[in-house]
């Protein structure tokens, strides 16, 4: 089939749904590619680059839609673009069906199929098509870059001959894909990063990236976690505690990056006017939720404003478009993976399998019907395992009986070992010379006492390897101490050398272990 990419008509949008590289991969699926003239110019992809990749360049949008079986674009289509669609055609783009009911009905009337990239279900198999995460990753990275461009100091702390520079204090509100990308970028630039999220389970992710999680005291069931890992509307009590915590942090923060969004709802206001007034002059707020109204009360969508107290509030809504080449590369790869699932035979034939969880979840219009909202994804059944019977609780009398039986068994075993050892020593004593027996007893005592002395040291002070080597060294020292009083000069010298070398080994073992443990301690 013929896959075409439209030029984006929304002002300021620089992304494109097909790059020369992705077109070559689409060719391998058996399709041919078209692109509207000038579609990739803003992303750095000229028409000549497309032609070199085997892509046909058509003059305008009408010619492209008429000549393509599948139309791909980035932003939701304009009504005029939807009107160009025909029955049997497929449109792949961001669509936001929950906010565009009229556009959804217009698309249904054309008889075309619409695949919304923002509706790709968030399951493991669909990660390669998750365009929302791809764009959020770029937005989080770019938010830190924008904050740095408007912040008048270093991110990292420095000690120079001219004085000491403290590190920037950064707060990231919301630890989704965009928030985690912002955390990683800010940490790599040397800032001290704090992060907050209504889902307590993301605390480990935040701390693993080098940031500190802002804990909020709340009772179980009051947090804002929802099924599937998304945020849900918080209770009034939780929200009040949340705002109180932010007011406490506001005077300390140099940069605040807000990313909190609830699917299908306006952005919640989390950074109020009084919090902005508490911040230091020169501070920066970057609001990634500006397109949905903003998390900051003073955010103006698509604008950068400076408050009377010198705080800069960045409300841009086109962060991915500000890195158009990278964003286009990732988004076109998401489109290509979607086409791969739609072309299972790699023979150029599109198969719109509505039994497939990913295709069904992303399809909002198909065969003249609105198919949004989709049903919940089918979860593959896990083989049921027969529940193990719960062990019966023993009565105190039964527990006592078991303890007595265990004690008697241990006693019998110890007595048997002692008798066997005594018999063995007696047999050895009957035939071995007296000098051998004295040395044998010294060796046995050294092994037993040395092992007990060293092995009783807490394992937090040494590794298992050092524990064994130190136990052996302890045996050597104890044996040498018993021999150092011998009347023969050679035995005295050898015993003294043994004590010296074994002592060095023990002390060195503990020093090496201490160095190893220090490597895992955060200063």
């Amino acid at each position: 089939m013929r896959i075409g990419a439209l030029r984006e008509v929304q002002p300021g949008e620089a992304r494109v749904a097909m790059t020369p590289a992705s077109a070559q991969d689409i060719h391998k699926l058996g399709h041919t590619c078209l692109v509207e003239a000038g579609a990739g110019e803003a992303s750095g992809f000229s028409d000549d680059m497309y032609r070199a990749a085997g892509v046909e360049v058509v003059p305008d949008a009408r010619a492209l839609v008429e000549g393509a079986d599948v139309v791909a674009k980035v932003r939701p289509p304009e009504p005029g673009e939807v009107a160009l669609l025909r029955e049997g055609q497929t449109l792949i783009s961001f669509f936001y069906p929950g906010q565009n009911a009229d556009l959804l009905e217009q698309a249904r009337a054309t008889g075309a199929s619409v695949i919304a990239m923002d509706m790709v279900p968030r399951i493991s198999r669909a990660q390669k098509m998750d365009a929302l995460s791809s764009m959020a990753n770029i937005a989080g990275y770019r938010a830190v870059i924008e904050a740095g461009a408007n912040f008048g100091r270093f991110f990292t702390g420095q000690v120079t001959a001219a004085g000491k520079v403290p590190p920037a204090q950064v707060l990231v509100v919301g630890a989704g894909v965009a928030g985690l990308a912002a955390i990683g970028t800010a940490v790599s630039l040397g800032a001290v990063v704090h992060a907050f999220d209504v889902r307590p389970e993301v605390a480990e992710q935040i701390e693993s990236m080098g940031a500190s999680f802002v804990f909020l005291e709340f009772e179980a069931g009051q947090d804002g976690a929802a099924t599937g890992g998304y945020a849900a509307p918080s209770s009034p009590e939780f929200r009040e505690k949340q705002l109180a915590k932010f007011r406490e942090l506001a005077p300390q923060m140099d940069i605040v990056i807000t990313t909190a969004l609830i699917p299908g709802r306006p952005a919640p206001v989390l950074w109020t006017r009084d919090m902005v007034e508490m911040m230091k002059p020169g501070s920066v707020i970057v609001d990634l939720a500006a397109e949905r109204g903003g998390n900051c009360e003073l955010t103006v969508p698509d604008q950068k404003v400076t408050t009377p107290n010198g705080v800069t509030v960045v409300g841009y809504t086109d962060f991915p478009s500000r890195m158009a080449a990278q964003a286009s590369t990732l988004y076109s790869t998401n489109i290509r993976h979607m086409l791969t699932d739609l072309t299972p035979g790699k023979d150029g034939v599109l198969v719109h399998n509505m039994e497939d969880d990913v295709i069904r979840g992303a399809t909002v219009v198909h065969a003249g019907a609105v198919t949004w909202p989709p049903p919940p994804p089918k979860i593959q059944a896990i083989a049921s395992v027969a529940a193990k019977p719960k062990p019966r609780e023993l009565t105190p009398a039964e527990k006592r009986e078991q303890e007595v039986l265990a004690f008697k068994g241990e006693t019998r075993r110890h007595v048997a070992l002692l008798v066997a050892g005594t018999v063995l020593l007696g047999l050895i004593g009957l035939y071995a010379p007296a000098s051998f027996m004295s040395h044998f007893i010294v060796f046995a005592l050294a092994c037993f006492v040395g092992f007990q002395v060293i092995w009783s040291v807490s394992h937090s002070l040494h590794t298992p390897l050092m524990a064994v080597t130190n136990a052996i060294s302890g045996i050597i020292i104890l044996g040498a101490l018993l021999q150092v009083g011998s009347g023969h000069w050679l035995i005295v010298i050898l015993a003294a050398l043994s004590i010296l070398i074994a002592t060095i080994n023990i002390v060195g073992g503990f020093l090496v272990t201490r160095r190893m443990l220090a490597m895992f301690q955060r200063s």
Side-chain angles (χ1 to χ4, degrees):
M1 294 202 171
R2 293 164 65 83
I3 315 297
L6 283 170
R7 181 168 57 87
E8 299 299 318
V9 295
Q10 183 164 334
E13 181 56 67
R15 291 172 291 176
V16 64
M18 182 190 296
T19 64
S22 71
Q24 292 177 339
D25 292 327
I26 292 172
H27 287 153
K28 296 175 184 177
L29 299 174
H31 303 301
T32 57
C33 297
L34 303 84
V35 67
E36 184 181 350
E41 291 290 345
S43 298
F45 306 112
S46 65
D47 291 346
D48 290 337
M49 293 173 68
Y50 283 105
R51 292 189 182 97
V55 180
E56 180 185 349
V57 179
V58 298
D60 54 30
R62 181 176 293 276
L64 184 132
V65 176
E66 289 177 354
D69 300 299
V70 178
V71 177
K73 67 188 309 292
V74 181
R75 289 277 186 171
E78 299 293 328
E81 293 173 322
V82 175
L84 297 175
L85 298 176
R86 63 180 183 274
E87 187 175 355
Q89 207 168 28
T90 300
L91 171 68
I92 304 177
S93 73
F94 284 113
F95 203 89
Y96 306 112
Q99 291 81 42
N100 292 309
D102 294 340
L103 203 61
L104 202 63
E105 181 60 30
Q106 184 186 359
R108 183 202 63 78
T110 65
S113 297
V114 177
I115 295 177
M117 294 301 290
D118 52 286
M119 292 301 298
V120 172
R122 285 192 165 177
I123 58 178
S124 298
R125 187 169 65 84
Q127 287 181 355
K128 60 187 178 181
M129 294 168 265
D130 191 354
L132 282 177
S133 293
S134 298
M135 298 302 101
N137 183 29
I138 293 175
Y141 173 86
R142 182 69 187 193
V144 178
I145 303 303
E146 291 290 341
N150 291 278
F151 186 56
R153 300 205 316 269
F154 294 140
F155 269 69
T156 184
Q158 294 186 5
V159 178
T160 69
K164 183 179 179 181
V165 179
Q169 299 286 330
V170 177
L171 173 65
V172 178
V173 180
V177 176
L180 292 175
I183 290 169
T185 307
V187 168
S188 65
L189 290 174
V192 176
V193 183
H194 314 267
F196 174 83
D197 197 282
V198 295
R199 300 162 296 173
E201 61 268 20
V202 303
E204 290 185 3
Q205 299 178 40
I206 291 170
E207 291 171 352
S208 69
M209 299 184 71
S212 60
F213 183 69
V214 177
F215 285 95
L216 194 63
E217 295 295 333
F218 58 86
E219 297 177 4
Q222 286 187 351
D223 63 278
T227 304
Y230 289 95
S234 304
S235 63
E237 297 81 6
F238 181 85
R239 176 176 166 78
E240 287 304 317
K241 292 181 180 180
Q242 185 180 21
L243 296 180
K245 188 66 175 179
F246 290 161
R247 288 190 180 94
E248 178 186 333
L249 294 173
Q252 309 165 27
M253 295 300 116
D254 298 307
I255 295 171
V256 176
I257 298 173
T258 61
T259 70
L261 280 175
I262 299 171
R265 292 173 175 266
V269 177
L270 302 177
W271 207 260
T272 57
R273 182 185 298 271
D274 62 309
M275 297 178 194
V276 178
E277 293 172 351
M278 293 178 187
M279 297 179 71
K280 295 171 286 189
S283 300
V284 180
I285 300 172
V286 181
D287 195 341
L288 290 181
E291 196 168 8
R292 301 284 185 88
N295 296 136
C296 178
E297 192 173 357
L298 301 183
T299 296
V300 179
D302 294 313
Q303 293 186 28
K304 179 176 69 174
V305 298
T306 303
T307 64
N309 64 321
V311 177
T312 302
V313 183
V314 180
Y316 300 148
T317 60
D318 59 347
F319 284 104
S321 191
R322 289 171 180 263
M323 301 184 70
Q326 184 68 75
S328 298
T329 299
L330 294 181
Y331 181 72
S332 63
T333 301
N334 296 140
I335 295 284
R336 190 254 298 173
H337 283 304
M338 177 63 74
L339 289 171
T340 301
D341 273 27
L342 289 168
T343 318
K346 297 185 178 180
D347 51 2
V349 178
L350 223 64
V351 180
H352 207 111
N353 180 15
M354 294 295 278
E355 297 299 318
D356 184 286
D357 281 345
V358 179
I359 296 174
R360 175 64 187 88
T363 302
V364 296
V365 173
H366 182 64
V370 174
T371 58
W372 181 85
K378 297 188 294 291
I379 306 298
Q380 184 178 0
I382 300 174
S384 59
V385 180
K388 295 182 179 179
K390 188 177 180 181
R392 184 176 64 86
E393 188 73 21
L394 298 176
T395 63
E398 291 174 332
K399 289 181 180 178
R400 176 64 181 169
E401 184 180 355
Q402 285 191 354
E403 290 173 358
V404 170
L405 290 174
F407 176 76
K408 289 180 178 179
E410 287 291 328
T411 302
R412 284 194 294 267
R413 186 164 59 254
H414 289 167
V415 170
L417 289 174
L418 287 172
V419 170
T422 304
V423 171
L424 180 62
L425 286 174
L427 291 174
I428 294 173
L430 288 175
Y431 300 100
S435 59
F436 173 81
M437 285 302 298
S438 64
H439 291 302
F440 182 77
I441 293 173
V442 168
F443 175 74
L445 287 175
C447 290
F448 178 76
V449 177
F451 177 84
Q452 292 295 331
V453 168
I454 299 298
W455 204 260
S456 296
V457 176
S458 172
H459 283 278
S460 63
L461 299 179
H462 53 62
T463 62
L465 176 62
M466 289 301 175
V468 175
T469 57
N470 286 350
I472 295 172
S473 299
I475 293 170
I476 294 171
I477 287 179
L478 191 59
L481 287 174
L482 293 175
Q483 294 292 339
V484 77
S486 173
H488 198 284
W489 62 271
L490 181 58
I491 296 176
V492 173
I493 293 175
L494 291 177
L497 289 174
S498 299
I499 294 172
L500 175 64
I501 295 173
T503 303
I504 293 172
N505 190 34
I506 291 175
V507 175
F510 279 107
L511 290 176
V512 170
T513 303
R514 183 179 180 183
R515 291 287 299 274
M516 291 174 63
L517 293 175
M519 294 170 62
F520 299 96
Q521 293 175 348
R522 188 172 181 179
S523 59

